[in-house]
Amino acid sequence: MSKVVVLNHPLIDHKMTIIRDKNTGSKQFRESVSEIGGLITYEISRDFETVPKVVESPVCRVDGFELAKKIVIVPILRAGLGMVDGIHDMIPHAKIGHIGLYRDEETLQPHTYYAKFPTDIKESLVLVVDPMLATGGSASAAITILKDRGIYNIRYVGLVGTPEGIKKLQEDHPDVDIYLAALDSHLNEEGYIVPGLGDCGDRLFGTK
Ligand code: PRP
Ligand code: URA
């Protein structure tokens, strides 16, 4: 069974409260989503493997380290894009793939419209990024798209999750660890996370 990590950090909690506030404007919302993406990345990268690397400092030879695995960030469009800059600031050499999915507002079923990945993604650690893990349908479908292409070293990185979403993801992909900034109570009858932060894509991009 996969691991579920809800990150406990004062800065993450502070910024999560900003984005939950319906009175937060779009500029601060976008900036905070991105910054939380960076803070989460700092926390989840603690167990990234490193290999030795020797460099010459201006003074002498130094035994250092570099990350052992390439990293690919795969945001689920659209809302996942909001977290990418913050993650990329932490891991600037990471490559970026994209999966386009939207949730049918009535059936809540995910529909795929786009998928494009770097050529060396199979040898990389892949961070699937989407702020909202609601029913879990979109995250699960995105991970299935990757696995259908032979990509298996995957972690899910989100902002707000629900017990329903975690259950679905763990059932469908027991090998994919889940990292969240917050675990919320439940989904309402329209499929919104409670208390959540509303429609993340709409708040990021000013649609609606
Ligand atoms: C939102 C969100 C997730 C999905 C989560 O996307 O960004 O991708 O819903 O819901 P689920 O866990 O029930 O599948 P949405 O479909 O609103 O598309 P958007 O990002 O383009 O706004
Ligand atoms: N997608 C969102 O953007 N918000 C929710 O609460 C659920 C799904």
Side-chain angles (χ1 to χ4, degrees):
M1 185 56 68
S2 67
K3 184 166 73 170
V4 180
V5 181
V6 180
L7 294 155
N8 259 317
H9 191 292
L11 277 176
I12 293 176
D13 294 343
H14 177 88
K15 289 172 194 290
M16 283 300 295
T17 305
I18 291 172
I19 64 171
R20 286 185 190 279
D21 185 343
K22 67 177 184 187
N23 294 316
T24 295
S26 57
K27 180 172 188 286
Q28 196 181 19
F29 185 86
R30 272 196 308 276
E31 287 169 356
S32 301
V33 167
S34 176
E35 287 162 6
I36 298 166
L39 291 167
I40 292 178
T41 305
Y42 181 74
E43 286 291 310
I44 72 171
S45 55
R46 284 181 191 279
D47 68 346
F48 282 7
E49 271 176 60
T50 54
V51 288
K53 178 174 180 170
V54 179
V55 293
E56 293 284 337
S57 85
V59 181
C60 68
R61 217 179 94 107
V62 191
D63 293 322
F65 299 93
E66 65 181 356
L67 291 185
K69 283 234 172 279
K70 295 177 190 168
I71 310 285
V72 175
I73 308 163
V74 177
I76 301 177
L77 308 181
R78 295 175 297 167
L81 288 175
M83 295 170 67
V84 169
D85 284 350
I87 299 174
H88 218 192
D89 284 346
M90 287 289 140
I91 316 174
H93 65 283
K95 293 185 182 172
I96 303 180
H98 294 89
I99 294 178
L101 282 179
Y102 71 91
R103 230 177 34 149
D104 181 295
E105 286 187 1
E106 266 154 36
T107 65
L108 302 183
Q109 291 308 304
H111 294 272
T112 309
Y113 56 87
Y114 187 75
K116 181 101 179 163
F117 307 113
T119 48
D120 52 0
I121 190 169
K122 280 192 197 168
E123 307 111 61
S124 307
L125 168 62
V126 177
L127 306 177
V128 171
V129 177
D130 190 332
M132 310 307 283
L133 182 66
T135 64
S138 302
S140 177
I143 292 166
T144 299
I145 288 168
L146 291 165
K147 288 184 174 173
D148 285 348
R149 288 164 165 78
I151 300 152
Y152 292 103
N153 190 3
I154 302 169
R155 296 181 185 196
Y156 173 86
V157 186
L159 299 189
V160 186
T162 59
E164 297 92 322
I166 288 173
K167 182 166 180 283
K168 163 105 182 128
L169 209 48
Q170 285 190 315
E171 278 171 8
D172 293 355
H173 301 291
D175 54 315
V176 175
D177 289 338
I178 301 168
Y179 297 87
L180 295 167
L183 175 55
D184 276 11
S185 160
H186 64 280
L187 289 174
N188 67 15
E189 49 296 337
E190 279 127 41
Y192 278 97
I193 298 176
V194 181
L197 48 85
D199 189 306
C200 193
D202 284 343
R203 292 190 70 188
L204 282 167
F205 298 109
T207 42
K208 233 179 230 175

